[in-house]
Amino acid sequence: MIAKIEKINQESIHNGKEIIEKGGVVAFPTETVYGLGVSAYNGKGVSQVFEVKGRPNDNPLIVHIADISDVSLVTSNFTNLARTLLEHFAPGPITVVVDKGDKIADEVTAGLDSVGIRIPELQSARDFIKATKVPLAAPSANTSTRPSPTTAQAVFEDIGSKIPLILDGGACEVGIESTVVDCRFETPIILRSGKITREDIEKVWGSCDVATNTSTVRSPGVKYKHYSPSCKMLAMNTSNKVLVETTVNKLVKAGETVVLIGNETLKDTSFVEFINLGTTVDDFMKYYYEALRTGEKLGSIIVCVLPFTENHAEGLYNRVRKSCGGDIV
Ligand code: AMP
Ligand code: MG
């Protein structure tokens, strides 16, 4: 099989809908990353998604709906907290975890009695979900452990030989996955960080916890290797150009081909391929995964330089730590 890449429009949405109706899988754009969609009611179809991605089957999928009025298709216990967060942040990059409804296939939630619900902000994504008339279970449309795809081409690179159709909506605006929030208790608990921060949620609800390492078993996905390029990677938090140059020079002397990713101030660094991630935290999130995919083709090691601290950039820091499998120095 070789995936067709079709610009997302009425006609391609119709083609995608027909595949979903038969229990097949279709990759589609959202504002966060590209998703690999399947009917959340079709257990067999959902199993295919795990196979295509090589995803561990204890890692649950998020269910996507087109409108808040469709939550009853996914849960019969929509908590006040979940409603408040969706009313405030959705459509947008947030996933609320609530009790799983009976019709959702057990494969979607990997046997958990809870389910994650998201309403994407991208209009064409919602048009596609609406056309299928079912909630769509959709993880990121990459091979497990790889950087998530933020373009149709990146989806094709990873899984183009395993799926029939990729709906192309251009480059994703947000660029990292949604903030996943457990909404089953009094206080929201962030299970996976994202563009929407703890502070954003506190402003709406008054309180918000973040799952600690010992409690991350609540969100099975966070324990796995994730978002990693095929080459080595090192990450630094600094605005000191000299420090970056010293680090790069050491690596070059050791025989490495260095790809430097960071802001414009680093563009003249010698002996590297440079990829500009922009200036703001939002820019860095938007261009990060694509830079990893370009970088792995150009060098033997990627050096990622973060010029800002973790404060207000918790989602980005989380992805960068996972990508390099260690600390940011
Ligand atoms: P991905 O599909 O690659 O964006 O990953 C989905 C993330 O959401 C993983 O970290 C999952 O563990 C998490 N997730 C999905 N459903 C649930 C759930 N019911 N409870 C806790 N975490 C969930
Ligand atoms: Mg993923």
Side-chain angles (χ1 to χ4, degrees):
M1 192 183 321
I2 276 281
K4 279 192 191 159
I5 301 181
E6 294 178 2
K7 282 250 165 306
I8 189 160
N9 55 32
Q10 258 187 328
E11 195 185 333
S12 61
I13 283 177
H14 178 80
N15 296 339
K17 178 202 97 149
E18 295 207 314
I19 295 171
I20 297 287
E21 270 171 7
K22 291 181 194 128
V25 301
V26 174
F28 67 101
T30 79
E31 77 282 10
T32 58
V33 303
Y34 274 71
L36 184 59
V38 68
S39 165
Y41 294 155
N42 187 323
K44 257 197 190 155
V46 173
S47 301
Q48 271 183 73
V49 165
F50 282 88
E51 247 166 65
V52 165
K53 281 180 59 76
R55 184 177 175 107
N57 46 23
D58 67 344
N59 187 5
L61 309 184
I62 290 167
V63 175
H64 296 67
I65 55 176
D67 191 272
I68 197 162
S69 60
D70 291 336
V71 287
S72 58
L73 302 175
V74 187
T75 182
S76 47
N77 190 12
F78 193 46
T79 59
N80 187 28
L81 168 57
R83 178 176 300 283
T84 304
L85 294 190
L86 281 195
E87 278 176 355
H88 195 87
F89 294 109
I94 192 161
T95 295
V96 295
V97 171
V98 291
D99 290 342
K100 170 186 170 297
D102 292 341
K103 280 173 78 181
I104 299 295
D106 290 333
E107 288 83 349
V108 171
T109 60
L112 295 179
D113 52 13
S114 63
V115 64
I117 307 177
R118 183 165 117 74
I119 307 170
E121 187 170 11
L122 189 72
Q123 180 67 51
S124 60
R126 278 182 281 136
D127 290 345
F128 175 53
I129 299 163
K130 204 170 196 168
T132 66
K133 298 205 170 74
V134 286
L136 290 185
S140 50
N142 55 315
T143 300
S144 255
T145 81
R146 299 267 302 137
S148 298
T150 53
T151 61
Q153 203 50 43
V155 176
F156 188 83
E157 224 173 71
D158 272 22
I159 57 172
S161 63
K162 299 177 182 172
I163 63 173
L165 179 62
I166 300 168
L167 298 174
D168 185 354
C172 301
E173 268 305 308
V174 173
I176 68 166
E177 303 81 353
S178 60
T179 307
V180 179
V181 190
D182 197 336
C183 293
R184 293 174 298 163
F185 311 100
E186 278 291 299
T187 303
I189 307 167
I190 294 183
L191 303 179
R192 179 181 69 187
S193 53
K195 181 182 161 90
I196 293 169
T197 63
R198 175 188 203 161
E199 202 179 319
D200 295 333
I201 293 171
E202 273 170 353
K203 276 187 196 146
V204 174
W205 189 257
S207 61
C208 181
D209 288 340
V210 176
T212 60
N213 277 340
T214 47
S215 64
T216 45
V217 75
R218 286 169 183 283
S219 187
V222 297
K223 69 180 183 238
Y224 290 110
K225 183 181 174 190
H226 256 323
Y227 324 121
S228 306
S230 57
C231 64
K232 287 174 281 189
M233 183 170 163
L234 179 81
M236 315 169 67
N237 165 219
T238 183
S239 299
N240 182 343
K241 233 183 129 175
V242 177
L243 186 62
V244 174
E245 281 165 353
T246 311
T247 307
V248 164
N249 288 341
K250 263 191 210 156
L251 291 167
V252 171
K253 267 200 188 132
E256 303 284 359
T257 322
V258 180
V259 177
L260 185 63
I261 68 175
N263 70 13
E264 220 199 350
T265 63
L266 302 171
K267 75 170 189 283
D268 298 326
T269 312
S270 310
F271 311 119
V272 298
E273 288 282 352
F274 172 70
I275 301 175
N276 193 346
L277 290 178
T279 47
T280 62
V281 174
D282 283 355
D283 290 340
F284 270 57
M285 290 191 288
K286 179 169 176 180
Y287 299 118
Y288 177 65
Y289 286 136
E290 196 57 20
L292 297 189
R293 286 176 177 268
T294 308
E296 69 185 10
K297 294 186 188 103
L298 297 175
S300 61
I301 185 163
I302 292 171
V303 177
C304 174
V305 181
L306 300 171
F308 26 70
T309 61
E310 188 161 7
N311 197 19
H312 301 297
E314 58 208 45
L316 179 68
Y317 264 69
N318 166 275
R319 304 310 188 276
V320 173
R321 279 198 188 97
K322 295 248 169 186
S323 298
C324 56
D327 267 344
I328 296 166
V329 292

